[in-house]
């Protein structure tokens, strides 16, 4: 009898693992339980659906349930929730189609994802107040905006979701107010990026309220105002995007260990403390390529990559899931902002480094070539070893240059090695010294104590 | 008495070295002899001057002669040609201002550049037949095109200069015919790039003549026709861009050794066989990061970087010039095409590798996000070690992704390590798996014999 691979959760990590395992071993029974109806969808695309640039929510689905079932031969059960795991008995308990049953497994993947954090705001239940983390929420926001054509919108949280939703709702005609508790938006991107993004958001008509705590929302049935400590502003619609938390209850109840970040602890193959139980995606930790320590950075590529590796491991060809650099990129109206590695100096010191950083601005193309833009690059390195620790990029074009820095981090390069990388130059694409190289050159001097 | 650093040639390598040396040691006497009048100019920008996108030729000058003299305190002598080097006596012989004199040096940099190859074509001396390698030529072409508004243009050579000039002359209203002896344009970029570029050139109205040898030009005083073996086509202007050759006569006459490529042989500090004579830029070899062998790839970044390192070395703080990957990028109308490392399988085998390659096409953005483009990525790796050897990229956006591959080459990464790089994803910038990662994933399978 062939083995059974059970997957809990049908998004990036889960469906990647299921597809890969089945492709590598067609004899394997692969069963996926997804409590909702959507699988394999691009949550990152939801703001562009609300904005109106993606016509159908279905467009965000990479592979449909029918394709998984018919073409990939995966036993996908939507509307089925796993409510218990018995690691000793090697079964999961499932509720679906009005019944409860036990499903045995040989290998189990917990890919339960994350949920939007719901702060203890008053009025969170009013109509028109949304979080945005799943497709049904995206659909509800779009419907609400279409129905009510809000004049004003409150975005709570200046992370990437908040900024993408500010752009989306602005495009839908609302006056957008964005509230951030911290002194800057996009905190993980560092101050150099934040300052450029904040200037641009204001230019685009977004009213920024930094260092500002929201206490809740007011309204009769629908939201009408957002309330701060001592004032309130009109808000015909509100999006709360203050971060996500990993969905770990199912795992924790089964004795699966969580890490210090609060997400599920995993080894290099994404195994939990149980040999045949894996965890991956937004619910799980991954190892950071710079610190070597577990970290929790819930992003799509990490989930896809880990799922694919697990799919290979469960068929007997073990494949490490790889390390993460926390690389992220976000569009903020006409800007691209990106980051990778360790930018925060305190965090670098905690990891045993002595961080030195520089921020430079340079043109994205040769100075004489038309339509270039200014790009701001930050690089951080360890003073003693010269090892590159992290970087950020922000500008109207060229934010994908962060990939050069991310690749250098993956390779463990020093700032001198990066400075010597033979990057591409032609006037329409770069100055002779690419801005990444210019930043490396300046940082190298600073590391050397010049 | 302070040392004297003499530089022969006032473009990228020479002026970078002069500036850096003077900045590091203000006591050093730095003398630059440039036989022409232009210094520190961006030859790569010349096609865009002809095209009309750069208004003044002076815009291509990064630093003016006056700035070098007044702000950087470099003794720059334009209109001065070095006609001899005496390595034993440590002097150079210079002609300028109607006189000939000897200039002693403690350190000498030969940065004599390269010249456009002039094939033995008939009619090369006709008015309207140009090579394009220096500013005076760019100026002459622009003037000729403005004066004669050519209906037809012949470009001989499908390298990057030929392709950039095809775009420029097409923009100026000429019907462009491009002649290439080889079966494909952009030979160093590999067939996968060439085929995409060729389709696009044809779409843009360029008449491509591949596998076609030009024998010369005909006309009364001005060029009227370009002649092939058995036919001829109208040509009101002609650009011959069949490559460059390093200017090595001065060096060779002085007993400075040339390498197998024909350019000046150098060590890791860009020293020649004479301890205190350096060579850099388009006249010199550099070491290839993949093969470890000397190579001759005359490009701007290599020249700038070597010049800067030499400037530091001559003041007593030796700095290796770094290795090259042969990274290049070119705009072909609406396309960007880029390459790095070793793409040619025969060359890879000569260097002791067993090359395996893949070519994939993928979208530059999430499939549902507007305005994306298709990008074609080729990666080459060594079968046994999995080491990445080279790559190419072509598409309407995203050609700078080649920098990720170039960085991986600099780091000596395997294709598996590149596949695990944590590159940036958000729908407006990339699919979840960046096309570079997709190519690495497929190549990894092929290397593993799947």
């Amino acid at each position: 009898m062939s083995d059974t691979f059970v997957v809990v959760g049908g998004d990036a990590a889960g469906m990647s693992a299921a597809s890969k395992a089945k492709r590598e071993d067609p004899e394997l029974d692969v069963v996926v339980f997804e409590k909702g109806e959507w699988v394999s969808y691009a949550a990152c695309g939801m703001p562009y659906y609300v904005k109106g640039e993606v016509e159908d929510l279905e467009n965000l689905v990479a592979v449909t349930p029918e394709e998984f079932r018919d073409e990939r031969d995966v036993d996908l059960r939507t509307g089925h929730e796993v409510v218990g795991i018995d690691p000793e008995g090697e079964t999961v308990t499932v509720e679906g189609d009005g019944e409860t049953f036990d499903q045995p497994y040989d290998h189990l993947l917990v890919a339960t994802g994350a949920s939007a954090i719901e702060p203890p705001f008053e009025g969170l239940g009013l109509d028109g107040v949304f979080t945005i983390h799943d497709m049904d929420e995206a659909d509800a926001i779009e419907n609400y905006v279409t129905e009510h054509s809000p004049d004003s919108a409150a975005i709570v949280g200046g992370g990437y979701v908040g900024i993408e939703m500010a752009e989306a709702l602005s495009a839908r005609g609302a006056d957008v107010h964005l509230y951030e508790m911290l002194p800057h938006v996009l905190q993980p991107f560092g101050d150099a990026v934040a300052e450029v993004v904040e200037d641009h958001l204001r230019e685009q008509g977004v009213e920024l309220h930094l260092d500002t705590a929201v206490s809740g929302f007011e309204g009769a049935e629908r939201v009408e105002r957002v309330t701060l400590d001592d004032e309130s502003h009109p808000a015909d619609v509100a999006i709360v995007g203050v971060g996500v938390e990993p969905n770990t209850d199912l795992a924790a109840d089964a004795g699966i260990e969580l890490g210090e970040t609060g997400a599920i602890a995993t080894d290099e193959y994404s195994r939990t403390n149980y040999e045949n139980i894996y965890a991956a995606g937004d619910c799980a930790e991954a190892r950071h390529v710079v610190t070597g320590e577990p970290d929790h950075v819930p992003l799509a590529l990490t989930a896809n990559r880990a799922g694919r590796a697990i799919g290979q491991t469960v068929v007997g060809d073990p494949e490490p899931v790889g390390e993460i650099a926390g690389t992220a990129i976000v569009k903020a109206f006409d800007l691209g902002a990106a980051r990778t590695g360790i930018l925060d100096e305190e965090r670098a010191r905690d990891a045993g480094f002595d961080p030195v950083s520089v921020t430079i601005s340079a043109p994205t193309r040769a100075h004489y070539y038309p339509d270039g833009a200014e790009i701001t690059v930050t690089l951080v390195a360890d003073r003693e070893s010269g090892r590159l620790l992290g970087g950020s990029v922000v500008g109207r074009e060229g934010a994908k240059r962060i990939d050069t820095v991310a690749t250098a981090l993956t390779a463990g390069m020093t700032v001198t090695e990066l400075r010597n990388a033979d990057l591409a130059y032609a006037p329409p694409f770069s100055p002779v010294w690419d801005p990444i190289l210019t930043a490396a050159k300046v940082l190298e001097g600073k590391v050397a104590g010049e």
Side-chain angles (χ1 to χ4, degrees), chain A residues 203-223:
Chain A
E203 270 172 38
Q204 296 286 336
V206 174
E207 194 83 38
L208 278 186
H209 306 268
L210 302 175
D211 262 324
T212 302
V214 164
S215 55
F217 307 98
E218 289 174 349
E221 191 162 333
R222 286 168 44 199
V223 62

Side-chain angles (χ1 to χ4, degrees), chain A residues 340-358:
Chain A
T340 189
I342 309 290
L343 286 165
D344 185 69
E345 302 214 339
E346 193 174 318
R347 191 163 164 219
R349 278 189 288 269
D350 286 349
F353 299 109
D354 179 8
V356 189
S357 72
V358 298

Side-chain angles (χ1 to χ4, degrees), chain A residues 95-335:
Chain A
E95 289 179 3
D97 287 343
E99 50 177 8
T100 300
F101 60 95
D102 283 350
Q103 165 70 49
Y105 64 82
D106 297 286
H107 318 277
L108 177 68
L109 169 58
V110 178
T112 42
S115 300
I117 291 172
E118 297 196 355
F121 290 160
E122 290 187 45
L124 209 57
L126 288 169
D127 279 0
V129 178
F130 300 95
T131 58
I132 177 165
H133 193 68
D134 70 31
M135 296 280 270
D136 294 330
E137 286 165 338
D139 204 26
I141 295 169
E142 205 288 320
N143 288 337
Y144 194 88
V145 170
T146 299
E147 189 178 344
H148 298 292
S149 299
D151 291 329
S152 60
I155 312 277
V156 185
Y160 58 84
V161 169
I163 285 177
E164 288 165 350
M165 290 306 294
E167 180 183 331
L169 293 176
S170 187
R172 297 293 297 267
D175 283 332
V176 174
H177 289 243
L178 190 150
Y179 303 87
E180 169 59 55
M181 282 184 67
L182 298 172
H184 284 300
V185 299
L186 288 179
Q187 191 271 333
F189 289 66
D191 293 355
V193 167
E195 285 162 16
V196 174
V197 170
E198 287 160 9
D199 284 349
H200 184 65
L201 290 173
R202 291 189 187 105
E203 270 172 38
Q204 296 286 336
V206 174
E207 194 83 38
L208 278 186
H209 306 268
L210 302 175
D211 262 324
T212 302
V214 164
S215 55
F217 307 98
E218 289 174 349
E221 191 162 333
R222 286 168 44 199
V223 62
E224 291 165 27
R225 302 189 72 79
V226 54
T227 55
L228 315 179
D229 277 355
D230 47 7
E231 55 182 316
S232 72
H233 304 142
D236 300 325
V237 64
I239 311 288
V240 178
V242 297
V244 299
E245 52 196 357
N247 297 328
T248 56
D249 288 352
L250 177 71
D253 287 349
I256 295 171
E257 284 171 12
L258 307 186
E260 274 185 35
T261 68
I264 301 171
T266 56
D267 72 3
E268 63 175 318
Y269 295 96
S270 244
R271 283 182 303 226
T272 67
N273 53 313
Y274 293 99
E275 175 87 26
N276 62 342
I277 303 183
Y278 301 78
D282 292 1
C283 66
E285 291 184 338
R287 203 157 299 269
H288 198 286
V289 73
V290 174
T291 64
E293 298 292 323
D295 201 355
H296 182 233
V297 186
L299 288 173
L301 176 59
T302 307
N304 275 274
R305 180 138 49 195
R308 180 174 179 272
I310 292 165
Q312 191 154 320
T313 299
V314 298
V315 301
D317 183 13
E319 160 92 10
V321 295
E323 298 178 311
I324 60 167
T327 311
I329 189 167
V330 61
K331 179 172 180 290
F333 292 85
D334 299 337
L335 285 181

Side-chain angles (χ1 to χ4, degrees), chain A residues 46-77:
Chain A
M46 296 187 305
Y48 305 102
Y49 173 68
V50 175
K51 188 180 176 187
E53 288 185 328
V54 175
E55 202 168 331
D56 291 316
L57 206 49
E58 284 74 15
N59 293 356
L60 303 185
V61 174
V63 184
T64 65
E66 293 66 39
E67 288 167 329
F68 279 114
R69 291 178 187 127
D70 301 343
E71 294 168 23
R72 303 194 180 186
D73 201 15
V74 167
D75 182 1
L76 167 62
R77 320 250 190 108

